[in-house]
Amino acid sequence: MTSVPHPTRPLGSTGPRVFPLGLGCMGMSALYGEADRAESIATIHAALDAGVTLLDTGDFYGMGHNELLINEALRTAAPSAREQALISVKFGALRTVEGGFSGYDGRPAAVKNFAAYSLQRLGTDHIDVYRIARVDPDVPIEETVGAIAELVEAGHVRHIGLSEVGAETIRRADSVAPIADLQIEYSLISRGIEKEILPTVRELGIGVTAYGVLSRGLISGHFTRDRSLAPDDFRGMSPRFQGDNLQRNLDLVEQLRKVADDKGVSVAQTAIAWVLSRGEDIVPLIGARTRARLAEALGALDVALSTEELAAVEQAVPAGAAAGERYPAAQMAHLDSER
């Protein structure tokens, strides 16, 4: 897969410019069942060869497995590809031996501890964008961001990001130090940020890295009602993949498929192109685990949706039409962005 020139997009007014799609690497280590290590590394290499610059991970993805995977992929990539890579890391999630989640830790000492371990696993001397995965309810966001700012001053981190936070928290964080981007779910069936969060980040000059643009495969055009999920696949507990909710959501996908077929592109490419159309300050993260899915996603960059086609897409999948919340109730409770 060779590099094709595409205009870069900014991670806010203070962050770096990046390729218009980023690669979300979580599924290569956790939450979607077993992944093929060799194929995962080949997919990262293919993404870099295609011009992708932003690799997104979390220190708790496979309890460090994902960071080590990225380390290996970068060590074995062509030097030019390795040099262009920017790594975004989420931290703060506490895990159990059994793989469960037990809260978040945003204390300044913990922030610096998490960063030290990430730098070691990644095999680098700095992290390009660093953010707490979810706000620690027991620690003011000002303290957490302040600790990252100290890491920036020390040269260990280049830019500060946020993840799944609401408008008020965004303003409080931005008052402490410049924020490059907000990472948050945004897709045709997850449009909650449009009311208050998106206007706020745009007012403050903060970019958006949008994850879940295919809603964990739900609106990719590849997911079927009778698909069997592995016991450790997160989607087995996700409300949008349950019972009648799944059928209602797949009905939306079939409406979207009609628009995609008329355009001569895939459902996934249509859904990604819609997110790309929402603004130059939005960088969709693609969770491809294979080179084939990556190639399909990159094809969305060549899909220009006209005003009429955008209207047809939104008629097929109207705002608020999704059945079910985007996370189980216990996880929704951790989302500052949903308060």
Side-chain angles (χ1 to χ4, degrees), residues 118-314:
S118 283
L119 289 168
Q120 178 68 27
R121 285 188 292 260
L122 290 166
T124 182
D125 64 356
H126 71 274
I127 296 166
D128 294 286
V129 189
Y130 203 47
R131 71 188 89 238
I132 190 165
R134 301 287 187 269
V135 174
D136 181 344
D138 297 323
V139 179
I141 192 65
E142 291 88 347
E143 293 185 18
T144 302
V145 168
I148 305 175
E150 290 178 6
L151 290 170
V152 172
E153 186 175 353
H156 304 310
V157 169
R158 294 281 170 82
H159 304 281
I160 304 171
L162 297 171
S163 175
E164 285 289 355
V165 297
E168 179 187 354
T169 304
I170 292 167
R171 292 187 186 280
R172 289 169 51 199
D174 189 64
S175 72
V176 175
I179 304 298
D181 72 310
L182 166 68
Q183 188 172 122
I184 196 163
E185 187 167 357
Y186 188 38
S187 73
L188 272 168
I189 64 171
S190 295
R191 298 179 60 174
I193 72 169
E194 293 176 345
K195 182 178 180 181
E196 187 176 9
I197 293 173
L198 192 53
T200 299
V201 294
R202 285 177 167 164
E203 173 194 335
L204 298 173
I206 297 170
V208 171
T209 41
Y211 76 89
V213 294
L214 296 179
S215 301
R216 300 161 184 83
L218 181 59
I219 60 171
S220 67
H222 301 298
F223 203 92
T224 59
R225 182 174 177 81
D226 58 355
R227 179 169 173 174
S228 178
L229 297 173
D232 57 346
D233 192 317
F234 158 81
R235 293 170 293 189
M237 299 180 294
S238 174
R240 289 183 175 173
F241 288 82
Q242 304 300 312
D244 291 341
N245 286 351
L246 176 60
Q247 187 57 57
R248 288 166 60 190
N249 291 329
L250 291 179
D251 287 345
L252 294 174
V253 175
E254 291 311 304
Q255 294 303 310
L256 184 61
R257 193 184 304 277
K258 295 175 183 177
V259 180
D261 287 347
D262 287 344
K263 181 74 172 174
V265 298
S266 75
V267 174
Q269 288 168 341
T270 304
I272 296 167
W274 180 86
V275 178
L276 285 164
S277 77
R278 306 310 286 176
E280 293 294 316
D281 55 349
I282 297 174
V283 176
L285 297 174
I286 304 305
R289 301 199 295 170
T290 66
R291 285 167 286 182
R293 290 287 186 258
L294 173 68
E296 179 184 25
L298 291 171
L301 293 170
D302 299 317
V303 178
L305 296 172
S306 67
T307 301
E308 293 77 14
E309 288 165 340
L310 285 169
V313 167
E314 297 201 23

